[in-house]
Amino acid sequence: MPSVPEFDEEERERLLSDRPDWKLAREGKAITRTFQFQDFSEAWGFMSRVALIADRHDHHPEWSNVYAKVEITLTTHDAGANGGLSMRDAKMARAIDELV
């Protein structure tokens, strides 16, 4: 499988500037964001909408859900030698942000 171009430092900084609610994780190889909802049903509905977007983008998040809280981590496993941030993550973060 061909490698996806990994973001360099300038591209990571631009991503964080464009998506200020996301934070770097995993030594700059991922971004993460926590979403807080009113209740479990609202959180689950959000996750369902994200799942549909993820399938369209063919880029699936790592996530967890505890009652009304959803934590999402985005990384591209085939970016660079050992995974990292890529345009796939930037597009997915933007699409997720547009839901809330």
Side-chain angles (χ1 to χ4, degrees):
M1 173 181 289
S3 182
V4 173
E6 182 178 3
F7 277 179
D8 61 24
E9 183 66 29
E10 184 178 317
E11 291 167 317
R12 278 193 300 272
E13 288 177 14
R14 191 171 333 127
L15 170 60
L16 294 175
S17 175
D18 291 345
R19 302 276 141 239
D21 293 323
W22 294 83
K23 306 296 178 220
L24 276 182
R26 299 183 190 165
E27 299 175 356
K29 300 286 186 181
I31 53 174
T32 189
R33 181 173 174 189
T34 300
F35 298 85
Q36 187 66 47
F37 298 96
Q38 294 299 313
D39 55 31
F40 178 75
S41 180
E42 189 175 306
W44 191 264
F46 169 75
M47 290 178 70
S48 295
R49 291 189 307 277
V50 170
L52 294 172
I53 291 169
D55 272 348
R56 282 195 309 269
H57 285 239
D58 193 28
H59 190 58
H60 302 87
E62 299 173 19
W63 57 11
S64 67
N65 166 242
V66 176
Y67 186 60
K69 182 172 75 174
V70 177
E71 294 180 15
I72 297 178
T73 300
L74 299 174
T75 190
T76 302
H77 296 284
D78 55 350
N82 299 308
L85 288 171
S86 76
M87 185 56 71
R88 291 179 181 177
D89 303 303
K91 288 178 180 179
M92 190 66 190
R94 182 179 55 242
I96 291 169
D97 285 351
E98 289 174 356
L99 291 176
V100 291

